[in-house]
Amino acid sequence: MEWIRIGANKLKLMLSKEDASHYALSPESADYADAHTRKAFRSILTDIQRETGFDAAEDKVYIQMYPSREGGCELFITKMGLLLSEDAENTGEAESTPLRGRITPSLSQKHRLAFSFSRFEELIAVCRILRARDFSDDSEAWRSRDPRYFLFLAEHGTPAALQEKYTFLKEYGRSENATAARMRFPEHGICLAARDAVARLGAL
């Protein structure tokens, strides 16, 4: 098993077919809600902690898994509590217990949303709708190796209010954790529009 430490709160693991078999992890059929899959993830995190010092035992963890052609998989692991505490420090809102601190979102700060779509046509349809609604904030579009299509939006407002505002996009795709999804690119994808994605793709 190979690993890359992306940051204090992020880790990338590369498991071979033999590694996946050792942990009884089936990349093709794993179910995040399944007890066996969660047990495999816990075992992996415990083992990798000894080598990397990446301790996720006391934190909420977001895991993304992508099967590899050789039968293994790649895991992207994000410690969400630490991630939130870093955001709080950057905006001057960190509390005394950063790993468990609660953040009051700032309206003056832009927050990023992410949505994924299984078909390019769905991405285009969403961009056309947003363009018709005069969306003019930051936006990016990417294609992953799956393949899936990702749209990132950045706008002023609280995360809860923005999720409510763009809830209609879930009719076309699914909402993603923006920070964890953004970790995949540019290493694991192709940029379709690095800026003004809504305006550019919405005009197609």
Side-chain angles (χ1 to χ4, degrees), residues 142-200:
W142 292 80
R143 178 185 182 275
S144 66
R145 293 179 179 177
D146 301 2
R148 283 187 294 164
Y149 301 89
F150 285 76
L151 178 65
F152 296 90
L153 307 176
E155 188 174 336
H156 293 289
T158 66
L162 293 177
Q163 284 289 350
E164 178 66 23
K165 179 178 180 180
Y166 294 109
T167 189
F168 73 93
L169 295 186
K170 297 178 183 178
E171 299 176 14
Y172 298 84
R174 58 178 292 180
S175 178
E176 301 281 354
N177 179 287
T179 302
R182 193 64 180 79
M183 286 171 54
R184 304 176 60 189
F185 308 111
E187 183 180 0
H188 290 276
I190 299 173
C191 182
L192 302 177
R195 55 183 300 178
D196 300 325
V198 168
R200 294 170 63 183

Side-chain angles (χ1 to χ4, degrees), residues 60-131:
K60 182 177 180 181
V61 177
Y62 183 84
I63 299 177
Q64 290 179 296
M65 178 169 61
Y66 303 97
S68 63
R69 294 180 180 178
E70 297 77 17
C73 62
E74 293 183 348
L75 299 179
F76 290 84
I77 304 167
T78 305
K79 294 195 289 186
M80 301 307 294
L82 181 57
L83 183 65
L84 292 176
S85 69
E86 289 177 349
D87 288 344
E89 290 173 358
N90 292 336
T91 57
E93 297 172 356
E95 297 185 2
S96 58
T97 54
L99 287 181
R100 300 183 182 277
R102 179 173 58 83
I103 300 174
T104 302
S106 170
L107 287 174
S108 63
Q109 181 184 15
K110 281 193 174 183
H111 294 278
R112 179 176 286 171
L113 301 175
F115 298 89
S116 66
F117 309 91
S118 59
R119 297 186 301 120
F120 182 64
E121 291 78 9
E122 293 168 337
L123 171 63
I124 295 299
V126 163
C127 288
R128 287 173 177 170
I129 293 172
L130 292 174
R131 186 170 183 265

